[in-house]
């Protein structure tokens, strides 16, 4: 079956095309500005507000993933309950607590799968555990990152590097893209877009580091490179799953930007990388 045409996404940049995409970019900006304001408010307030906000987004992401692979009959109840458990573990404990919570999800997924209407078998268990590992563990690490000393600044740096790099890759790919980056996964992404996105993301986080005494330019540059390289991997990972599911967008929550997963795919990688890189730096 022919694959649906995909819109260019960030992380690798779109292939060069004729001018005239201004309306698409305008629609993206209209959605992005209020979404960014909400995200920054969550980060600034931290604590329960941040955890609850992350929890709502995570549940939407899980819903989108389970809907994409509905044919596998994922154990939705186990996925949602397990995800909430992972966030509680992150809020009240540490990495070891999250690991214990994730291991507890495995028998939970099994019991729910066996007893739900129509069963689910290995495909249902696999998709459910994929959601908990990919979305649940990543957002649990986002909570851990926010709870670190200077956590607000660290989460801001991760968001800055991810979304500035995404935008740079998108615009750079449209303007200069020639060589496909991953044609079998996301044909519109280009090597040129990726390179521009990495440079811009690294520079943005380096600049943020210079503006904070506790951060510094060196740590900022290292964090920036790490985030810049992890973000496109997260984007390609989601693109691979969408191509397998024959889906263009995971949802419509963010209008022209698609669903929650379409917007958070890179964050699901960069939040984890940012957390562990910062621990290594300190």
């Amino acid at each position: 079956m022919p694959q649906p045409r995909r819109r260019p996404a960030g992380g690798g940049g779109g292939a060069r095309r004729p001018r005239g995409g201004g309306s698409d970019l305008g629609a993206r900006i209209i959605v992005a500005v209020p979404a960014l304001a909400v995200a920054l408010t969550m980060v600034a307030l931290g604590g329960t507000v941040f955890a609850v906000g992350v929890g709502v987004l995570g549940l939407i992401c899980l819903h989108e993933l389970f809907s994409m692979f509905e044919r596998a009959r994922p154990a939705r109840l186990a996925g949602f309950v397990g995800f909430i458990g992972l966030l509680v573990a992150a809020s009240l404990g540490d990495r070891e607590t999250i690991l214990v919570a994730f291991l507890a999800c495995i028998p939970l997924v099994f019991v729910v799968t066996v007893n739900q209407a129509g069963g689910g078998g290995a495909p249902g268990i696999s998709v459910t555990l994929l959601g908990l590992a990919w979305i649940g563990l990543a957002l649990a690490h986002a909570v851990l990152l926010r709870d670190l000393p200077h956590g607000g600044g660290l989460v801001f740096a991760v968001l800055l590097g991810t979304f500035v790099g995404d935008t740079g890759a998108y615009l750079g790919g449209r303007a200069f893209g020639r060589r496909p980056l991953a044609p079998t996964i996301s044909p519109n992404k280009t090597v040129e877009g990726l390179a521009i996105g990495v440079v811009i993301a690294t520079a943005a986080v380096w600049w943020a580091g210079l503006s904070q005494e506790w951060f510094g330019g060196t740590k900022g540059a290292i964090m920036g490179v790490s985030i810049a390289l992890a973000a496109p991997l997260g984007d390609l990972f989601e693109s691979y799953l969408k191509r397998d599911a024959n889906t263009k967008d995971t949802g419509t929550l963010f209008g022209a930007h698609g669903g929650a997963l379409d917007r958070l795919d890179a964050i699901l990688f960069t939040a984890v990388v940012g957390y562990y890189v910062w621990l290594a730096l300190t």
Side-chain angles (χ1 to χ4, degrees):
M1 176 182 294
Q3 296 293 342
R5 295 183 64 185
R6 298 284 310 283
R7 61 176 174 83
R16 190 172 186 177
R17 62 187 59 194
R19 295 182 182 272
S23 59
D24 178 61
L25 180 60
R28 286 169 171 263
I29 294 174
I30 289 172
V31 174
V33 170
L36 180 62
V38 172
L40 292 178
T41 300
M42 287 169 48
V43 173
L45 294 176
T48 302
V49 173
F50 183 77
V52 170
V54 166
V56 171
L57 288 173
L59 290 173
I60 296 172
C61 287
L62 282 173
H63 167 71
E64 292 176 351
L65 175 66
F66 294 159
S67 296
M68 276 200 302
F69 293 100
E70 186 65 42
R71 64 184 184 275
R73 298 194 299 275
R76 287 176 174 267
L77 177 61
F80 296 151
V81 171
F83 171 70
I84 293 172
L86 288 172
L87 287 193
V88 171
S91 298
L92 301 180
D94 51 20
R95 288 173 290 170
E96 288 72 22
T97 310
I98 293 175
L99 175 61
V100 171
F102 180 74
L103 292 175
C105 289
I106 298 176
L108 172 65
V109 171
F110 167 67
V111 170
V112 173
T113 301
V114 168
N115 288 281
Q116 71 180 359
I125 290 174
S126 298
V127 171
T128 308
L129 288 178
L130 168 64
L132 288 169
W134 176 33
I135 299 168
L137 289 179
L139 294 182
H141 277 79
V143 172
L144 289 180
L145 183 66
R146 179 59 184 85
D147 288 343
L148 290 175
H150 308 294
L154 292 171
V155 174
F156 173 76
V158 169
L159 293 176
L160 177 67
T162 302
F163 292 121
V164 168
D166 177 86
T167 302
Y170 175 75
L171 296 177
R174 286 172 64 95
F176 305 107
R178 289 291 186 275
R179 288 166 289 189
L181 175 66
T184 61
I185 299 176
S186 187
N188 289 321
K189 292 179 174 59
T190 62
V191 173
E192 293 82 2
L194 172 66
I196 292 171
V198 168
V199 170
I200 292 177
T202 302
V205 181
W206 169 76
W207 172 81
L210 288 178
S211 65
Q212 302 289 334
E213 184 177 348
W214 57 269
F215 206 155
T218 301
K219 292 179 180 178
I222 295 173
M223 282 281 285
V225 171
S226 303
I227 293 166
L229 294 176
L233 287 176
D235 184 78
L236 286 172
F237 183 82
E238 191 228 13
S239 294
Y240 180 76
L241 293 179
K242 289 196 297 184
R243 184 161 291 276
D244 182 61
N246 198 31
T247 300
K248 180 178 181 291
D249 292 321
T250 61
T252 58
L253 180 66
F254 291 101
H257 287 276
L261 265 178
D262 293 316
R263 286 299 85 205
L264 298 180
D265 52 3
I267 289 291
L268 296 177
F269 275 50
T270 59
V272 178
V273 169
Y275 176 77
Y276 286 107
V277 169
W278 182 253
L279 289 187
L281 289 174
T282 55

